[in-house]
Amino acid sequence: MSDVRIGLVAEGKTDLVVIEAALQSILGDRSFVLKLLQPETSAPFGGAGQHGGGWGGVYRWCRQHVSMQDPTGVNSSLQAFDLIMLHLDADVAEETYQNAGIQNGWADLPCPFPCPPAADSVDALRQVLCHWLDLTTETAIPPHWVFCIPSMSSEAWLVSALYRDTAPGILDEIECNPALETWLSQRPVREIKLIRSGKKHVRSYQDVASRLTVAWENVRNHCSQAQRFDDEVRAALA
């Protein structure tokens, strides 16, 4: 069986690490090749490509994708992929377009809902993603496209894997915790420092990625949106 070819549009490179670790568990023995489409690695554009990083980069990629579609709605540059994944963290629901330097006159952001439940803000963001893609409803999403929206960030999935035994209390309503990055940055020196001085370190994320793969069932048990992602990836590849 040939490798599953997956294209990923994400906020950042640490999100790539987390999502790839999750896919290692979801796909099991099935091999895959994961290509980061956004953010690009491009020195002339500051290391994040022409669209920039973060959620604003995801927005700009989506708008470029729309502009590249032919009259039938096909973007030929994506035809080599079996699966396209679009990632946003659920905390983007709190943002405004102006925060990312985007002037489009749209009013679908901010769109936060009380958490719990995590699903309400995620559902609102899924509609925002559809808007960026010029899709009227989620039913119009191509069958080989999957949305990945951890609540409130991909760090919730990582923490659920790494601290289920050593700091179980942090798992309570973890999908509604807006301060996980701060909590991680304050972990003792003897632990792997994923976040230092407010900066995420890709290499440190890579060092613990296999632990997320092994603990993916625990992540799904604590994070409803991890379970949703798992279900939708399996359905897209069925």
Side-chain angles (χ1 to χ4, degrees):
M1 183 179 294
S2 59
D3 292 343
V4 179
R5 299 159 300 175
I6 303 173
L8 174 64
V9 177
E11 289 192 45
K13 295 173 184 176
T14 56
D15 301 303
L16 163 68
V17 175
V18 172
I19 293 168
E20 184 171 26
L23 288 172
Q24 292 284 358
S25 179
I26 297 169
L27 272 65
D29 293 334
R30 193 170 181 184
S31 60
F32 66 94
V33 176
L34 181 62
K35 179 178 176 57
L36 187 63
L37 303 176
Q38 167 64 34
E40 301 172 10
T41 301
S42 175
F45 291 101
Q50 61 180 316
H51 301 310
W55 69 268
V58 176
Y59 165 85
R60 294 182 181 93
W61 184 92
C62 289
R63 298 312 296 162
Q64 182 185 66
H65 160 71
V66 170
S67 72
M68 294 174 65
Q69 290 178 317
D70 66 22
T72 67
V74 173
N75 179 349
S76 60
S77 69
L78 301 180
Q79 288 186 300
F81 296 102
D82 302 304
L83 196 61
I84 299 293
M85 294 181 177
L86 269 65
H87 158 263
L88 286 177
D89 282 341
D91 59 8
V92 174
E94 303 277 356
E95 299 283 356
T96 67
Y97 286 107
Q98 289 72 23
N99 290 344
I102 297 168
Q103 303 295 327
N104 57 14
W106 295 358
D108 53 4
L109 285 178
C111 59
F113 285 85
C115 188
D120 289 353
S121 289
V122 171
D123 287 344
L125 272 180
R126 290 171 72 95
Q127 291 302 315
V128 170
L129 266 177
C130 286
H131 192 185
W132 295 356
L133 295 167
D134 278 4
L135 303 176
T136 54
T137 67
E138 284 195 43
T139 59
I141 300 171
H144 64 294
W145 285 49
V146 173
F147 291 171
C148 176
I149 307 182
S151 182
M152 300 183 73
S153 67
S154 60
E155 279 68 38
W157 295 5
L158 199 60
V159 169
S160 295
L162 300 183
Y163 294 98
R164 54 180 175 163
D165 298 321
T166 57
I170 193 66
L171 303 184
D172 296 338
E173 300 295 354
I174 192 170
E175 289 188 295
C176 300
N177 187 337
L180 284 181
E181 290 185 24
T182 300
W183 185 83
L184 282 169
S185 69
Q186 296 171 346
R187 301 306 299 160
V189 175
R190 66 180 181 274
E191 298 181 7
I192 294 177
K193 298 295 286 186
L194 299 171
I195 301 175
R196 296 190 293 272
S197 302
K199 183 178 180 180
K200 300 178 183 181
H201 288 261
V202 176
R203 179 60 182 272
S204 295
Y205 276 65
Q206 292 170 336
D207 288 342
V208 299
S210 62
R211 293 166 62 185
L212 189 151
T213 301
V214 172
W216 181 241
E217 181 179 0
N218 192 72
V219 177
R220 291 189 289 109
N221 289 339
H222 283 94
C223 300
S224 62
Q225 301 312 303
Q227 181 63 66
R228 186 177 196 171
F229 176 66
D230 187 294
D231 291 341
E232 293 187 355
V233 170
R234 294 179 190 276
L237 293 176

